[in-house]
Amino acid sequence: MELRVLRYFLAVAREGSVTHAAQRLHVSQPTLSKQLKYLEEELGKKLFVRSSFSVRLTEEGMLLRKRAEDILEMVDKTEEEFKALGEINGGDIHVGAAESDGIKHLAQRVKSLQAQYPRVRVHLYSGDRSDLTERLERGLLDFAVLVESNDLLKYNHLPLPGADTWGVILRRDHPLAEKEAFLPEDLLDVPLICPRQGLQKELSDWFQEKVDRLNIVATCNLAYNGGILAREGLGLLLSFDKLVDTGAQSPLCFRPLTPPLHSKLFLVWKKYAVFSPAAKVFLNVFQEAGD
């Protein structure tokens, strides 16, 4: 498979139309159609279901789309790294980050880095722990900012300052909003919205044997969306503080857990990683900060 043809395939998959993809790619429609036919013949699978005005992916086409996106992302990242070799004043750094107010410390380090190297660009990818570690393992990220967990044993890591505070986000007019803090038993008989990854460690440890008695009605990997579910009355959201608007004008409020539960953030990277010049100076900024 040629990379050029994979880019053609992705353009058609995203546009849902050979005509529109051809216009965006600045190639003729017959040329594009011929390349797609050759690709299907090469793979021995039908990739599209065609109709009069549009195309949609087959099951095989959806698999190829995922693989093609990964392949081309890695190719583009590799090209960026080679262009930056020997050019310490510029380059691209790919960082994955969990949702946390502690990301402000990452922002501060990046600001310091760019003051010295204005042409360095940081590409931030947000996700939960499993998503970030998968992308880190596949080489799509240079670094990730993760909440403390057993996963850290697999990586080199540096702590970031401070810690996030766990609590409950709920509507101000909810009867439980009168509480100043929540004990584990306070949350056993109410609908809960939980972070997709949180119950695997931090919250499970806090609830202990009561964890099996929770009434989890929804999970989310982004606190912002979880906050919308809480605002609409679906349940109480378990989350870090400062990720959802709970200010005076918000219908939501935050109440901490008791006993208090805090989680630290860490900058992590693969052991024996080979860094671009830009990634090296990025890491140096964190190491010199001595957090």
Side-chain angles (χ1 to χ4, degrees):
M1 286 181 287
E2 296 183 27
L3 295 177
R4 173 178 54 85
V5 177
L6 285 181
R7 295 190 192 277
Y8 286 174
F9 165 79
L10 280 182
V12 175
R14 289 165 179 163
E15 295 289 338
S17 164
V18 176
T19 300
H20 293 162
Q23 292 171 348
R24 188 164 71 82
L25 293 167
H26 304 292
V27 300
S28 68
Q29 184 174 334
T31 297
L32 184 54
S33 297
K34 186 181 297 184
Q35 292 295 327
L36 295 177
K37 181 180 178 182
Y38 288 158
L39 182 60
E40 289 181 320
E41 291 175 352
E42 181 181 359
L43 295 174
K45 299 292 183 181
K46 189 174 182 179
L47 302 175
F48 295 98
V49 176
R50 295 163 174 82
S51 62
S52 300
F53 301 103
S54 65
V55 296
R56 61 181 176 84
L57 292 173
T58 62
E59 186 174 340
E60 293 82 0
M62 288 187 284
L63 174 61
L64 180 61
R65 177 173 183 169
K66 175 175 173 53
R67 295 290 182 261
E69 287 174 340
D70 288 348
I71 290 168
L72 293 174
E73 187 172 355
M74 179 59 74
V75 167
D76 292 342
K77 183 175 182 295
T78 302
E79 289 178 348
E80 290 169 359
E81 290 174 345
F82 270 82
K83 288 177 182 176
L85 287 176
E87 195 176 325
I88 197 67
N89 62 325
D92 294 86
I93 307 163
H94 298 261
V95 183
E99 278 194 303
S100 166
D101 181 62
I103 298 301
K104 64 188 178 186
H105 300 293
L106 171 68
Q108 291 164 5
R109 302 291 181 270
V110 171
K111 183 178 179 182
S112 173
L113 174 66
Q114 290 183 332
Q116 187 174 359
Y117 303 103
R119 294 177 59 194
V120 167
R121 295 173 297 180
V122 173
H123 306 279
L124 191 62
Y125 178 91
S126 298
D128 60 29
R129 183 184 300 147
S130 63
D131 188 17
L132 297 178
T133 54
E134 179 186 353
R135 295 179 71 85
L136 193 63
E137 290 293 338
R138 286 158 48 198
L140 299 176
L141 297 175
D142 300 306
F143 303 94
V145 178
L146 300 179
V147 175
E148 59 185 312
S149 73
N150 292 333
D151 290 340
L152 294 179
L153 300 175
K154 298 166 52 179
Y155 302 106
N156 292 319
H157 56 272
L158 289 172
L160 294 181
D164 285 292
T165 299
W166 282 96
V168 176
I169 294 172
L170 68 166
R171 290 184 58 90
R172 293 183 184 276
D173 56 7
H174 194 288
L176 293 178
E178 297 179 359
K179 288 185 170 291
E180 294 184 1
F182 279 86
L183 292 162
E185 50 266 32
D186 296 330
L187 298 170
L188 298 183
D189 299 316
V190 295
L192 295 178
I193 305 161
C194 294
R196 192 168 69 183
Q197 297 296 317
L199 283 182
Q200 290 187 3
K201 177 171 169 50
E202 296 90 351
L203 292 175
S204 291
D205 292 345
W206 186 78
F207 279 108
Q208 297 183 349
E209 72 279 357
K210 299 180 180 69
V211 69
D212 294 331
R213 298 168 55 192
L214 298 180
N215 177 22
I216 299 174
V217 298
T219 65
C220 59
N221 69 331
L222 294 175
Y224 177 84
N225 289 339
I228 293 176
L229 298 182
R231 188 186 67 197
E232 296 302 315
L234 185 65
L236 279 61
L237 173 65
L238 290 166
S239 173
F240 290 156
D241 192 10
K242 301 178 182 179
L243 296 185
V244 175
D245 179 14
T246 55
Q249 303 304 314
S250 171
L252 298 173
C253 60
F254 176 85
R255 301 290 183 263
L257 302 181
T258 186
L261 178 62
H262 305 287
S263 293
K264 286 189 63 62
L265 282 183
F266 290 81
L267 179 75
V268 309
W269 63 98
K270 289 176 65 175
K271 293 182 178 180
Y272 313 112
V274 178
F275 287 138
S276 67
K280 287 179 182 178
V281 295
F282 176 87
L283 180 57
N284 287 341
V285 167
F286 282 85
Q287 292 173 325
E288 291 170 1
D291 298 323

